[in-house]
Amino acid sequence: MKDGGVMPQINFEDFSKIDVRVGTITAVEMFPEARKPAFRLEIDFGPEIGMRKSSAQLTRHYSTDVLVGRQVACVVNFPPRQIGPFRSEVLMLGFPDEQGEVVLVTAERKVPNGGRLY
């Protein structure tokens, strides 16, 4: 919930339907067509899932050179979402900082691409 409230309780079966995987960002470019400053990213999820694209509003805390090579957590089983001329295939995960800007969820150390959160 955006207002900080606690979401309704779910069971483990509901949680297990969300496929959160780790991937490495391989390419980043500005997304000038986005309404708010954003990047277009390519993320490598390893041989099982492969390369996927995403768009994210990360320009406050991250630059293109800092993002390339970084491992991130993403939901990989949402349907693709059309964002202007761009088709976003995964949802990158993050937490809001004090100003509501995105801070990415990352692995504490390097792990194999495509690893599933459990």
Side-chain angles (χ1 to χ4, degrees):
M1 268 184 149
K2 277 208 177 249
D3 66 3
V6 177
M7 299 294 290
Q9 189 174 40
I10 63 171
N11 60 39
F12 187 79
E13 184 178 309
D14 292 333
F15 174 75
S16 67
K17 293 176 186 176
I18 303 169
D19 194 357
V20 177
R21 304 286 183 119
V22 66
T24 300
I25 298 171
T26 60
V28 182
E29 62 184 17
M30 291 301 298
F31 185 11
E33 299 90 354
R35 284 181 287 194
K36 295 182 180 179
F39 293 121
R40 288 188 290 234
L41 307 101
E42 291 186 20
I43 306 165
D44 180 4
F45 290 97
E48 182 182 350
I49 297 171
M51 300 294 290
R52 298 282 175 97
K53 296 178 182 177
S54 187
S55 172
Q57 297 172 1
L58 305 172
T59 59
R60 175 70 181 234
H61 292 301
Y62 304 96
S63 61
T64 56
D65 58 324
V66 169
L67 288 168
V68 172
R70 181 180 293 255
Q71 286 194 302
V72 292
C74 302
V75 176
V76 298
N77 65 332
F78 281 156
R81 185 171 182 194
Q82 195 70 35
I83 302 172
F86 185 75
R87 184 178 163 110
S88 185
E89 301 170 314
V90 298
L91 174 67
M92 294 178 63
L93 300 177
F95 293 106
D97 69 6
E98 297 83 13
Q99 288 78 43
E101 300 290 338
V102 178
V103 176
L104 290 170
V105 173
T106 62
E108 182 263 332
R109 63 189 67 184
K110 188 160 178 54
V111 296
N113 286 336
R116 185 159 192 226
L117 177 74
Y118 59 81

